[in-house]
Amino acid sequence: MSRFNLNPEQIARELSEFNQQLLDSYHTLQQIDEINVGQTPHEIIYSEDKLQLLHYQAIKTPGRKRCTTPVLICYALVNRPYMVDLDQERSFVRRLLELGIDVYLIDWGYPDAADRYLDLDDYINGYLNNCVDQVISHSGKPETNLLGICQGGSFSLCYTALYPEKIRNLVTTVTPVDFQTPDNMLSHLAQQIDVDLAVDTYGNIPGAMLNDAYNALMPMRLGLQKNLNIPRQLKDQASAMNFLRMEKWIYDSPDQAGEAFREFITTFFKGNGFINGDAIIGERSVDLKQITQPLLNVFGSSDHLVPPSASRALNGLTASQDYQEYEVPSGHIGVFVSGQSQQKVAPMIADWLKLHDKSAAKTPKK
Amino acid sequence: MTDSFSNDPQQWFQEQTERWQKLLQGQPAAESTSWVQFFNSDHQDLFKHLGDNLGEHQEALMQMVNSQSSRFTEFAESLLKQSQSDNPPSQDNTDKLISDFRDYLQQQCNELLTQQWNLPEPFASLIKKLPLGQQQQLTEGPLRKYLEQLAATPDLGSMPFSNSQIRSVSQSILDYQDALKDYLQQYDLIFDQASEQLKQVLQQPGIEIDSVKTLHNLWVDCYEKAYAKQVFTPQYQSCHGRISNSLMRARKLAFEARDRKLQEFGFVTRAELDASLRLQHKMRKQLKSQTQQVNELQKQVLLLTEQLTNNSSAKPSPQKNNKKATS
């Protein structure tokens, strides 16, 4: 029995609407001068090589309780950190500031040929450790809260295990912990890739190559379906700017420092270092049982890049007596940019940080 | 809106609308200029400044949108013609419609795969650029035989390229082509499964295709399910690994060939640059570590100095004591 009920008038109408939208989309594009992102005011308090450490001052609201310990956001090396500050309406950072949290954000920059041999030791024991010291020094607090995003969450876990005395509370968001859960498509595909050959061939791994890998997780939805919806997305300037900001972020992919990439894939994707307990950064073993801090683990229920199972594996791996999970009904990026995020995720994290802020008044360690 | 923009594209749209009306009325309609043809023709200057406003990626994205929009229009027009001659459609025509739809999408899929998995130059020039599905030259035929002979050539005499280099390049291209063939077979399977899934979904109560957009959306759901199922098979993962690795090996050989030429002309090769970067990185690490040690030592010196100052100021001065003693 046929289920097609395509009447000619409907098809002609659809053709007309679609092509009119296509035409309108070019009209909209003509009116756009620049695609601005990361507009929340901030100052750069520290620079090292290509890295910059940004500080965002909490907004003082009379009557609203502030968190005395700031939060340092450790973003992934993949893509750019302005995802947490796309625009005023979709700014995870701005929501935290409004809720009385002082925010520091690491911008890793764009590695070039000179950074080809940067390894995880440089990133974690070097850059991240220096940023933590800078935050502590700049804020005048004895410790900092650390919030890691995706790969930055894996870095934050390593860091907190190696330097527990500097971290007050740890928040991991959309963070892969068990890299080999059966539903992890990216990991399944990565297992067959000769990472040594990749680094030997390219030096730094091209960002575009990683984008291809991410798009390959849902090729038809992220390809044809998305593209055919673009004329509708560009129908007016406001909607177009929303769409283009996100597009700009998706394809603003820095190359990956070759050695760090090799080490991350080998240690975590192939070696499942957190689960097997054999991850080594520099010359130090990463023992997650060194983490005794309160720990909040945030993940997206329909995350296709880091499936919930990969994040939830953190439960029981640390020595934290105060472990909490928060499931957001969204995908990987939706955790930070969806309306739900602005309304619920940022407030939930801010409340949790304030609740766990009680011992922040102690004097700095020498 | 600029005048130039409002006139020509609107005129193009008007012509399209008239054409669809003719098709709707079952009248013969002349072939018209597709959107992508219109965009790439001498009207392109209307859109020239878009490149200044948008980044490189957005420009590439809009090229893709143009191409896929034209394909969408083309397919919808074919449906319009078909629905005129077959309303309501028969089961045979339903199967044909699904088959046509699949072909229309698979062609686009193959074009995207061509871009993603294209061999690097100079090897790409060996293979005439055709959509992947039509690229049969290296799976059989004289060129493959020639490459196989080259890959098996024994060392004889002196040549501008060593035999081992020729063997490596030939073998690399053959490996790539074999991997590509197997990889494309995986996509054939995915398209087969997606089509079957679509047919099954269409049997379910409450499902009805009343627009081309609905058909697309339903297809995407079916495709993603079929794709996810196939990707988790060892066969797909093996094919994906082989195509990725063989392409990288070919690229590496191309870089090495370039390096040999650079060396011949006395330029710095990539291998030499890498060695220098490795050394630079090692020195940067050492410098940072030493700077850190110096900072730590400075802190300790400062602390000790403070302690000494505190100690000396806490002790009573001997002169005062003397004075007290004398008084």
Side-chain angles (χ1 to χ4, degrees):
Chain A
M1 177 182 154
S2 172
R3 298 281 181 174
F4 282 93
N5 186 20
L6 289 162
N7 77 62
E9 287 80 12
Q10 163 65 19
I11 296 173
R13 202 163 42 246
E14 217 179 333
L15 271 168
S16 182
E17 276 172 14
F18 178 79
N19 281 279
Q20 183 65 61
Q21 280 176 347
L22 184 62
L23 219 55
D24 291 346
S25 67
Y26 274 91
H27 176 209
T28 310
L29 288 176
Q30 282 207 318
Q31 297 170 324
I32 291 172
D33 290 328
E34 207 177 341
I35 304 163
N36 293 324
V37 288
Q39 297 290 292
T40 301
H42 59 267
E43 58 171 338
I44 296 160
I45 63 152
Y46 175 68
S47 300
E48 183 183 351
D49 302 331
K50 312 251 174 2
L51 173 147
Q52 290 187 325
L53 179 60
L54 317 182
H55 174 227
Y56 301 80
Q57 185 93 48
I59 298 165
K60 288 176 187 166
T61 312
R64 190 190 290 278
K65 188 184 168 191
R66 288 187 65 183
C67 188
T68 57
T69 311
V71 65
L72 169 63
I73 299 180
C74 176
Y75 197 73
L77 301 176
V78 182
N79 289 107
R80 303 281 295 138
Y82 58 76
M83 190 271 284
V84 291
D85 186 29
L86 267 185
D87 55 48
Q88 282 217 348
E89 298 305 310
R90 292 179 298 176
S91 175
F92 176 70
V93 165
R94 197 175 173 81
R95 294 293 92 75
L96 290 179
L97 300 180
E98 288 166 354
L99 293 161
I101 314 283
D102 234 20
V103 176
Y104 294 83
L105 174 66
I106 301 175
D107 178 347
W108 301 107
Y110 296 86
D112 60 23
D115 303 308
R116 176 199 182 313
Y117 290 99
L118 283 178
D119 53 23
L120 293 186
D121 174 43
D122 294 308
Y123 276 106
I124 294 171
N125 291 318
Y127 295 136
L128 181 51
N129 188 36
N130 292 342
C131 284
V132 168
D133 287 346
Q134 290 296 325
V135 170
I136 288 173
S137 163
H138 187 262
S139 66
K141 304 294 174 201
E143 302 157 309
T144 181
N145 294 315
L146 184 59
L147 186 153
I149 298 176
C150 189
Q151 183 192 33
S154 305
F155 281 16
S156 300
L157 279 168
C158 293
Y159 184 82
T160 310
L162 295 171
Y163 303 88
E165 71 281 2
K166 297 185 188 181
I167 303 302
R168 170 82 201 114
N169 302 297
L170 176 62
V171 183
T172 52
T173 57
V174 293
T175 294
V177 177
D178 183 346
F179 284 74
Q180 294 180 356
T181 52
D183 55 348
N184 191 331
M185 191 187 278
L186 186 63
S187 173
H188 276 85
L189 293 177
Q191 299 305 321
Q192 303 288 331
I193 303 295
D194 184 342
V195 68
D196 293 328
L197 176 64
V199 177
D200 292 348
T201 302
Y202 294 105
N204 288 340
I205 302 300
M209 210 169 126
L210 297 183
N211 271 332
D212 284 344
Y214 300 142
N215 285 337
L217 300 181
M218 285 198 288
M220 200 57 82
R221 204 174 294 288
L222 299 176
L224 185 79
Q225 192 179 39
K226 184 182 112 178
N227 293 345
L228 288 179
N229 280 329
I230 285 178
R232 194 169 49 81
Q233 303 265 20
L234 300 180
K235 66 180 187 296
D236 58 59
Q237 211 168 338
S239 159
M241 284 306 289
N242 277 345
F243 173 77
L244 291 172
R245 281 194 196 101
M246 181 56 88
E247 273 298 296
K248 177 177 178 158
W249 174 77
I250 292 172
Y251 288 93
D252 190 357
S253 335
D255 294 346
Q256 301 295 296
E259 287 307 314
F261 181 82
R262 188 201 309 262
E263 217 179 328
F264 192 76
I265 298 289
T266 308
T267 305
F268 294 107
F269 273 93
K270 297 199 176 189
N272 212 3
F274 287 136
I275 299 300
N276 295 327
D278 55 5
I280 294 173
I281 304 295
E283 290 171 353
R284 299 175 63 187
S285 279
V286 175
D287 177 8
L288 292 184
K289 291 291 181 199
Q290 295 300 314
I291 301 178
T292 55
Q293 287 79 351
L295 178 45
L296 174 64
N297 188 10
V298 181
F299 55 90
S301 57
S302 48
D303 189 336
H304 71 288
L305 270 175
V306 179
S309 58
S311 296
R312 299 185 78 174
L314 183 57
N315 191 4
L317 285 186
T318 71
S320 174
Q321 297 297 307
D322 185 355
Y323 171 86
Q324 193 179 334
E325 285 181 358
Y326 182 58
E327 181 172 354
V328 184
S330 77
H332 193 65
I333 304 306
V335 168
F336 300 95
V337 300
S338 67
Q340 166 97 343
S341 165
Q342 311 307 311
Q343 298 297 320
K344 292 187 177 167
V345 180
M348 192 278 169
I349 292 175
D351 286 347
W352 186 87
L353 288 174
K354 287 175 191 171
L355 189 68
H356 293 81
D357 197 32
K358 50 190 175 234
S359 68
K362 67 185 175 186
T363 51
K365 291 185 178 80
K366 296 226 167 137
Chain B
M1 184 190 277
T2 61
D3 287 339
S4 57
F5 184 80
S6 60
N7 291 334
D8 282 355
Q10 282 300 342
Q11 195 181 331
W12 169 85
F13 181 67
Q14 189 58 40
E15 284 169 15
Q16 300 303 308
T17 310
E18 283 165 14
R19 176 178 150 75
W20 297 324
Q21 284 305 314
K22 280 186 181 169
L23 288 174
L24 189 59
Q25 288 155 14
Q27 294 173 11
E31 287 302 313
S32 68
T33 310
S34 72
W35 171 251
V36 76
Q37 285 168 332
F38 174 78
F39 192 90
N40 291 333
S41 68
D42 44 349
H43 296 94
Q44 203 175 6
D45 58 331
L46 292 172
F47 309 101
K48 208 182 274 175
H49 72 286
L50 284 178
D52 302 332
N53 296 354
L54 304 173
E56 196 180 316
H57 162 69
Q58 276 81 4
E59 257 190 283
L61 181 71
M62 289 314 289
Q63 290 286 354
M64 179 78 80
V65 171
N66 285 345
S67 159
Q68 291 181 344
S69 298
S70 291
R71 295 281 179 76
F72 174 86
T73 300
E74 198 181 315
F75 180 73
E77 280 184 6
S78 76
L79 284 183
L80 192 58
K81 290 175 197 165
Q82 196 177 320
S83 62
Q84 282 291 349
S85 60
D86 178 46
N87 197 6
S90 66
Q91 181 61 52
D92 283 351
N93 278 352
T94 298
D95 288 346
K96 184 179 179 308
L97 200 149
I98 292 175
S99 164
D100 288 350
F101 187 67
R102 172 212 160 114
D103 291 346
Y104 141 75
L105 290 173
Q106 194 162 9
Q107 194 188 351
Q108 293 185 71
C109 176
N110 282 349
E111 282 171 11
L112 291 173
L113 290 175
T114 310
Q115 287 171 17
Q116 189 178 351
W117 300 111
N118 208 6
L119 264 179
E121 290 295 349
F123 307 141
S125 306
L126 280 173
I127 307 169
K128 200 175 155 191
K129 282 185 183 170
L130 286 172
L132 289 182
Q134 299 166 40
Q135 225 176 50
Q136 299 297 325
Q137 302 100 311
L138 282 186
T139 53
E140 55 200 28
L143 184 52
R144 183 179 177 96
K145 280 193 179 144
Y146 179 61
L147 281 169
E148 281 170 347
Q149 281 168 8
L150 282 178
T153 309
D155 287 315
L156 282 172
S158 65
M159 283 165 43
F161 294 102
S162 74
N163 287 75
S164 69
Q165 285 164 1
I166 292 170
R167 274 198 298 270
S168 300
V169 170
S170 309
Q171 194 56 55
S172 154
I173 296 174
L174 288 169
D175 289 348
Y176 162 79
Q177 196 65 27
D178 290 342
L180 185 62
K181 185 181 153 207
D182 293 347
Y183 187 65
L184 289 177
Q185 277 176 358
Q186 291 294 314
Y187 275 83
D188 282 344
L189 280 174
I190 293 166
F191 272 91
D192 284 346
Q193 288 163 10
S195 301
E196 277 311 306
Q197 187 128 19
L198 181 63
K199 285 177 192 168
Q200 283 172 22
V201 170
L202 286 172
Q203 298 301 315
Q204 292 169 12
I207 302 284
E208 191 178 83
I209 306 286
D210 59 359
S211 70
V212 188
K213 190 174 165 51
T214 315
L215 178 59
H216 269 86
N217 289 342
L218 201 56
W219 168 264
V220 170
D221 289 343
C222 294
Y223 181 89
E224 293 298 355
K225 276 181 197 155
Y227 179 78
K229 198 174 160 190
Q230 195 63 22
V231 168
F232 282 108
T233 63
Q235 292 79 8
Y236 181 91
Q237 286 162 28
S238 162
C239 287
H240 181 266
R242 278 176 58 214
I243 182 74
S244 304
N245 295 335
S246 66
L247 188 60
M248 285 192 290
R249 267 192 290 277
R251 279 190 202 285
K252 190 160 176 269
L253 282 168
F255 289 145
E256 285 168 359
R258 185 195 59 190
D259 256 13
R260 277 191 294 276
K261 280 287 160 205
L262 286 172
Q263 201 166 27
E264 276 175 28
F265 292 121
F267 290 110
V268 176
T269 64
R270 200 176 80 135
E272 288 164 341
L273 182 66
D274 277 351
S276 145
L277 289 171
R278 186 190 286 271
L279 189 64
Q280 181 200 359
H281 176 255
K282 196 178 163 188
M283 288 168 73
R284 180 160 64 170
K285 247 186 195 301
Q286 278 174 356
L287 181 67
K288 284 186 177 183
S289 160
Q290 284 167 1
T291 308
Q292 205 174 3
Q293 282 173 17
V294 169
N295 287 342
E296 285 298 320
L297 286 171
Q298 275 178 342
K299 275 184 199 167
Q300 287 176 21
V301 168
L302 201 67
L303 203 66
L304 285 170
T305 311
E306 275 176 18
Q307 282 175 358
L308 279 172
T309 312
N310 290 342
N311 286 346
S312 60
S313 61
K315 272 186 190 169
S317 118
Q319 271 192 336
K320 277 185 181 174
N321 289 347
N322 289 343
K323 274 183 187 173
K324 273 182 189 172
T326 47
S327 64

